[in-house]
């Protein structure tokens, strides 16, 4: 590895970083101690370009492009000195072996300690039951990882599956426990002795970290198993039941819808300037997506590459259009001095981000789910005729689901019933329950109905806030649609879906693998066709 002050070539810097990532596939990129990217889920591109070492990373949450000028080796990590386009000062990033800052030895020891604690607490809390077969061993064939302690509780011929997760694990791992719990219950049933019946699942989460699991568990099928949720205070060893059927108000809010047409009109001068810089014939491929009443994003196949804001001028009370290009960490104000740079970046973008682009090109691979979303929006009524493409809301900005991101697509069917659409371009074990999060919130907002005009008609929160103007929204529970390329649907997704409550009407839609070229439905499975 290069040392501080070493004048390594761009190619050498790239090879050092590549070597580190090859050695540490679960690495994380930190800035000021904060995890920017978990390399297990993030994508990256690194290499020499125009005499510079360019390091680009992207995920569904953010993207980052930096010029690496120096690499410094440390005990378990490497420090990257980088420059951001338009920034006057260099910034330091750090690559560490894992987003879990514990050493592997400390992490394994903590999990073994938690397993012993869990066995002890359960033995004491459920007298007469035998705590059996607890483990945390990796089992990739069945999607079980070492962060979850799983086992059984036996009482005669009756048995229960048990899964627990420690407070030392990340919030994302804690929130994923119910997915693994359902899979563990299904595994126990399939591998049980013929005389033994697994009638339920006990899930144990850290004290204070129960809400996400409780909200999800409330919408599992009580007829398929007895589901129980507990919190465990690891300091006091207190095990407390959680009544997940009575969890209070959900974190769902809705702000008033704004006029997309008016937003585009306000920003039109800036939009026209940007469109004049795209390559010839490219303007008709650009999508304008209003972000607020005074802000419009410009996208190419789901990737935002520029933004126009209609705001007050810095030196007067007049309104002006502020234009930026790039996105996220790379957002740069457009000036006369850097207009040529903007043009060259757009030329590269429109060459790379097309159906026939090179698959190893970073701009081609960037944000595949947003690209898939754009394709589905273009073809929604053809692919899914019952749905209204003309009433489609994308990346719903007013629907809050805490730190679980934004709902992909929301529309109505021909009968006025809400339809929640969640997309994945790659395998995701947790897709069903993540989609359920949004379904729960959309259902709650639709159920929040208030009388209007003397109580003659009760309007949902969507209607009161200006969504789906002129159309009556049905009071029925929403439909839930999950879509992904056929070979990118995780094998465990259908197992989890089978445990959903009958009140959740779901549909799993498999799309063509070459969806950038041609988008078609390969097959679909519906809740009414699948019985647990």
């Amino acid at each position: 590895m290069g040392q501080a002050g070493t004048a390594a070539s761009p190619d050498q810097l790239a090879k050092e970083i590549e070597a580190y990532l090859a050695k540490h596939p679960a690495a994380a990129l930190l800035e000021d101690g904060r995890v920017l990217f978990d390399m297990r889920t993030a994508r990256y591109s690194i290499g020499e370009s125009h005499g510079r070492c360019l390091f680009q990373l992207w995920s569904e949450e953010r993207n980052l492009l930096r010029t690496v000028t120096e690499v410094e080796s440390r005990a378990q990590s490497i420090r990257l000195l980088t420059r951001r386009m338009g920034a006057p000062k260099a910034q330091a990033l750090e690559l560490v072996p894992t987003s879990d800052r514990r050493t592997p030895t400390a992490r394994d020891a903590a999990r073994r300690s938690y397993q012993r604690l869990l066995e002890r607490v359960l033995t004491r809390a459920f007298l007469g039951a035998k705590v059996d077969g607890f483990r945390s061993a990796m089992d990739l064939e069945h999607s079980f990882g070492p962060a979850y302690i799983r086992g059984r509780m036996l009482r005669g011929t009756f048995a229960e599956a048990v899964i627990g997760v420690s407070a030392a694990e990340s919030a994302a791992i804690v929130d994923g426990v119910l997915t693994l719990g359902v899979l563990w219950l299904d595994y126990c049933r399939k591998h049980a002795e013929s005389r033994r019946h697994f009638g339920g699942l006990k899930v144990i989460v850290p004290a204070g970290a129960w809400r996400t699991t409780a909200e999800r568990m409330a919408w599992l099928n009580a007829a398929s198993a007895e589901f129980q949720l507990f919190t465990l205070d690891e300091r006091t060893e207190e095990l407390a039941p959680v009544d997940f059927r009575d969890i209070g108000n959900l974190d769902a809010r809705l702000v008033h819808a704004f006029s997309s047409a008016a937003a585009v009109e306000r920003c039109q001068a800036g939009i026209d300037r940007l469109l004049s810089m795209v390559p010839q014939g490219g303007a008709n491929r650009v999508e304008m997506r209003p972000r607020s009443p005074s802000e419009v994003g410009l996208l190419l196949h789901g990737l935002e590459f520029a933004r126009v804001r209609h705001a007050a001028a810095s030196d007067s009370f007049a309104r002006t259009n502020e234009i930026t290009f790039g996105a996220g960490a790379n957002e740069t104000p457009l000036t006369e001095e850097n207009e040529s740079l903007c043009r060259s970046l757009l030329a590269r973008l429109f060459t790379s981000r097309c159906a026939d682009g090179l698959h190893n090109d970073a701009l081609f691979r960037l944000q595949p789910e947003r690209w898939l979303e754009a394709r589905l929006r273009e073809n929604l009524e053809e692919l899914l005729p019952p749905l209204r493409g003309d009433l489609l809301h994308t990346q719903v900005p007013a629907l809050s689901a805490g730190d679980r991101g934004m709902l992909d697509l929301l529309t109505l069917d021909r009968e006025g019933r809400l339809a929640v659409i969640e997309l994945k371009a790659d395998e995701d074990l947790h897709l069903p329950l993540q989609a359920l999060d949004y379904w729960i919130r959309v259902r709650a907002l639709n159920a929040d109905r208030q009388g209007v005009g003397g109580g003659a008609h009760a309007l949902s929160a969507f209607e009161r806030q200006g969504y789906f103007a002129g159309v009556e929204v049905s009071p029925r529970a929403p439909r839930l649609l999950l879509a992904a390329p056929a070979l990118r649907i995780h094998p465990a997704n259908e197992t989890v879906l089978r445990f959903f409550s009958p009140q959740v009407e779901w549909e799993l839609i498999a799309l063509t693998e070459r969806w950038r070229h041609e988008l078609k439905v390969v097959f679909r499975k519906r809740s009414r066709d699948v019985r647990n």
Side-chain angles (χ1 to χ4, degrees):
M1 289 277 175
Q3 303 297 319
T6 301
S9 70
D11 188 56
Q12 289 173 321
L13 294 172
K15 288 180 179 178
E16 291 180 13
I17 297 171
E18 285 274 18
Y20 185 87
L21 293 173
K23 185 177 180 181
H24 303 285
L29 183 72
L30 310 183
E31 184 175 43
D32 297 327
R34 178 174 63 94
V35 176
L36 290 181
F37 293 93
D38 184 331
M39 301 307 294
R40 291 173 297 181
T41 56
R43 307 292 183 87
Y44 76 93
S45 172
I46 186 166
E48 186 274 336
S49 177
H50 302 290
R52 298 180 297 163
C53 176
L54 291 184
F55 191 20
Q56 182 168 11
L57 302 99
W58 61 93
S59 68
E60 286 305 308
E61 291 77 31
R62 60 175 63 90
N63 67 82
L64 176 147
L65 176 65
R66 299 287 171 86
T67 297
V68 180
T69 59
E70 194 174 302
V71 175
E72 179 183 349
S73 173
R74 294 187 171 183
Q76 294 291 326
S77 64
I78 57 173
R79 182 175 181 269
L80 312 178
L81 196 63
T82 70
R83 288 195 177 277
R84 171 183 163 189
M85 184 172 60
K89 295 183 180 179
Q91 294 171 298
L93 303 175
E94 186 177 14
L95 277 170
V96 296
T98 173
S99 57
D100 187 336
R101 303 309 302 274
R102 298 172 292 176
T103 65
T105 301
R107 183 171 59 249
D108 293 343
R111 289 171 177 169
R112 287 194 299 270
S113 176
Y114 175 75
Q115 179 177 326
R116 292 191 295 270
L117 168 65
L118 190 59
E119 292 174 319
R120 183 168 65 248
V121 168
L122 291 172
T123 300
R124 188 169 60 236
F126 299 98
L127 299 177
K130 178 183 177 182
V131 175
D132 178 71
F134 275 67
R135 71 197 80 165
S136 64
M138 178 81 76
D139 182 353
L140 294 178
E141 180 183 354
H142 299 99
S143 304
F144 301 125
Y148 302 102
I149 309 301
R150 57 197 189 276
R152 309 179 299 172
M153 292 189 67
L154 310 177
R155 194 189 300 264
T157 59
F158 181 77
E160 292 177 294
V162 182
I163 192 164
V165 61
S166 166
E169 305 296 345
S170 70
I173 288 178
V174 173
D175 286 349
V177 68
L178 188 56
T179 295
L180 276 299
V182 168
L183 296 178
W184 176 235
L185 172 61
D186 184 69
Y187 176 91
C188 289
R189 286 178 169 178
K190 290 178 178 177
H191 294 80
E193 303 168 11
S194 58
R195 66 183 183 88
R196 178 157 282 141
H197 171 63
F198 277 85
L201 170 68
K202 284 180 166 62
V203 177
I204 297 94
V205 297
W210 53 267
R211 178 164 287 275
T212 296
T213 303
E215 290 176 2
R216 294 170 170 179
M217 190 175 280
W219 291 98
L220 297 185
N221 186 0
S224 67
E226 180 185 2
F227 296 100
Q228 295 178 292
L229 177 62
F230 300 85
T231 61
L232 175 58
D233 187 321
E234 296 172 35
R235 183 179 59 83
T236 64
E237 299 192 5
E238 179 183 358
L239 187 70
V242 175
D243 184 0
F244 57 84
R245 295 175 182 84
D246 183 21
I247 56 176
N249 294 328
L250 295 176
D251 176 23
R253 59 185 175 85
L254 205 61
V255 300
H256 200 280
F258 60 88
S259 170
S260 296
V264 172
E265 185 178 351
R266 292 185 191 98
C267 300
Q268 193 64 59
I271 292 171
D272 290 342
R273 183 181 177 191
L274 283 164
L275 292 180
S276 71
M277 290 190 282
V278 304
Q280 186 175 6
N284 59 1
R285 296 165 57 193
V286 175
E287 176 192 357
M288 265 74 75
R289 185 179 299 173
R291 303 294 188 183
S292 76
S294 58
E295 187 172 11
V296 177
L298 278 69
L299 298 84
L300 178 64
H301 299 314
L303 176 63
E304 182 175 288
F305 63 86
R307 191 171 287 206
V308 180
R309 298 179 182 89
H310 190 66
S314 58
D315 54 354
S316 72
F317 292 105
R319 308 289 290 184
T320 185
N321 283 322
E322 298 176 354
I323 304 173
T324 59
F325 64 97
N330 305 318
E331 193 172 5
T332 302
L334 178 65
T335 65
E336 291 183 4
E337 289 74 20
N338 63 21
E339 184 173 313
S340 60
L341 173 62
C342 179
R343 288 180 182 275
S344 64
L345 289 176
L346 292 179
R348 184 193 164 202
L349 172 66
F350 278 76
T351 300
S352 301
R353 199 169 179 82
C354 60
D356 294 317
L358 297 176
H359 286 234
N360 61 354
D361 188 304
L363 291 174
F364 178 89
R365 297 185 299 177
L366 192 61
Q367 296 184 9
E369 282 171 23
R370 299 286 73 82
W371 193 338
L372 178 58
E373 175 195 303
R375 293 282 288 134
L376 189 60
R377 286 199 313 274
E378 295 169 0
N379 301 275
L380 184 67
E381 294 190 7
E382 179 183 345
L383 289 171
L384 305 171
L387 301 186
R388 294 282 300 271
D390 58 320
L391 298 175
L392 192 63
H393 290 273
T394 181
Q395 292 289 290
V396 183
L399 181 63
S400 172
D403 60 359
R404 278 164 272 170
M406 286 182 133
L407 166 65
D408 285 340
L409 296 169
L410 180 68
T411 188
L412 301 177
D413 66 15
R414 301 293 170 182
E415 299 175 350
R417 187 179 179 188
L418 286 159
V420 175
I421 308 173
E422 186 70 4
L423 304 172
K424 290 294 179 184
D426 293 301
E427 279 193 4
D428 190 334
L429 177 67
H430 300 286
L431 169 61
L433 290 182
Q434 288 173 354
L436 182 64
D437 288 338
Y438 301 116
W439 182 91
I440 292 169
R441 281 157 176 76
V442 170
R443 177 188 176 278
L445 288 165
N446 194 41
D448 175 19
R449 290 178 171 264
Q450 299 177 14
V452 175
H457 176 58
L459 299 181
S460 71
F462 290 103
E463 292 166 292
R464 297 197 308 274
Q465 298 290 11
Y467 291 79
F468 311 116
V471 179
E472 183 177 340
V473 178
S474 169
R476 295 178 63 191
R479 298 172 60 191
L480 177 61
L481 292 84
L482 307 91
L487 299 181
R488 301 295 188 272
I489 296 176
H490 196 287
N493 287 165
E494 189 177 332
T495 299
V496 176
L497 286 168
R498 291 203 323 267
F499 280 88
F500 276 18
S501 164
Q503 297 180 62
V504 184
E505 184 180 320
W506 57 264
E507 185 173 343
L508 182 63
I509 301 167
L511 304 169
T512 46
E513 283 296 308
R514 299 183 75 250
W515 51 265
R516 291 180 177 88
H517 285 270
E518 183 181 32
L519 188 64
K520 289 185 177 181
V521 173
V522 178
F523 66 84
R524 62 183 75 200
K525 294 187 178 181
R526 299 177 175 90
S527 52
R528 63 175 179 267
D529 302 326
V530 179
R531 295 292 180 265
N532 191 48

